[in-house]
Amino acid sequence: MSVSPRDILDFWFGPEDGPEFGRPRPIWFTRDADFDAEIAARFADTQRAAAAGQLDSWAGEPESLVALTLLLDQFPRNLYRDDPRAYASDGHILALVKQAIAMGLDRGLPDVHRWFLYLPYEHSEALADQEAALRLFADLPGAEAEGSPYDWAVKHHAVIARFGRFPHRNAVLGRANTAQEEAYLSQPGAGF
């Protein structure tokens, strides 16, 4: 059975007529083996096809672009925890999202969908992408609230501005920590 963009969106956000739709779900950013296993069972093959570029045509429509973004930006983080593959498709989806946003494909989407469309900028280790993330997330309602998507974008930007990379990825990616990164990583709550 093939997976459609709607299958992915309904899984992640809930159906449009459901009570969860349009609301953040705590499970999105929680380490949960059962949730990861469900993503693997339902979407691993589709995620691999997307990573191979076989679903790039989904980038041409707003909703299917969000589904593709989940496949290439979020699902790898669930499927491949503590593995370099968690970040392997970040550049791929960021390039597609940049093109789509330049065309305005994000503008008609629900706010929570836009949030996930902007996350590839926040996950980038390039300062210019982090600065773009700040602009994009600042445009979402409630940006000034503590714990908002914008608040998290500010935190990610600060790490890249300070280190030029995310130190919490170093071990997984086989990169040596600097002394400053070691000190940072020893602090409670360091990393994302």
Side-chain angles (χ1 to χ4, degrees):
M1 181 175 125
S2 66
V3 173
S4 72
R6 175 56 43 205
D7 295 331
I8 295 164
L9 296 175
D10 286 352
F11 168 78
W12 195 257
F13 299 109
E16 290 183 7
D17 61 351
E20 291 184 318
F21 186 79
R23 296 180 183 184
R25 297 176 62 202
I27 195 71
W28 289 338
F29 304 110
T30 302
R31 185 179 285 255
D32 184 290
D34 291 336
F35 188 63
D36 293 352
E38 185 174 0
I39 291 172
R42 294 181 64 179
F43 304 111
D45 291 342
T46 308
Q47 192 283 325
R48 284 190 292 274
Q54 297 171 7
L55 302 178
D56 284 2
S57 63
W58 288 15
E61 298 293 329
E63 287 193 346
S64 58
L65 172 64
V66 175
L68 184 62
T69 304
L70 292 170
L71 284 170
L72 293 175
D73 185 72
Q74 288 305 127
F75 287 7
R77 285 163 168 76
N78 295 88
L79 294 169
Y80 307 117
R81 291 187 188 274
D82 304 317
D83 184 302
R85 293 176 293 174
Y87 313 110
S89 55
D90 284 7
H92 180 173
I93 192 57
L94 180 59
L96 294 172
V97 166
K98 283 181 177 183
Q99 292 173 358
I101 289 174
M103 295 171 21
L105 292 183
D106 59 322
R107 289 297 159 191
L109 291 167
D111 295 332
V112 73
H113 287 64
R114 289 173 56 207
W115 174 9
F116 283 91
L117 201 58
Y118 301 159
L119 278 178
Y121 287 90
E122 185 177 302
H123 291 155
S124 172
E125 291 187 318
L127 188 58
D129 294 332
Q130 290 294 322
E131 290 169 355
L134 292 177
R135 290 189 299 275
L136 291 164
F137 280 108
D139 193 38
L140 292 176
E144 66 284 344
E146 184 176 339
S148 71
Y150 176 75
D151 188 43
W152 282 103
V154 169
K155 292 174 183 177
H156 282 74
H157 177 274
V159 172
I160 296 300
R162 181 175 173 189
F163 300 111
R165 61 188 185 175
F166 291 117
H168 65 276
R169 294 183 186 175
N170 289 349
V172 170
L173 296 176
R175 303 186 304 207
N177 290 328
T178 66
Q180 294 83 7
E181 289 171 336
E182 286 286 347
Y184 165 74
L185 289 170
S186 70
Q187 298 172 12
F192 301 102

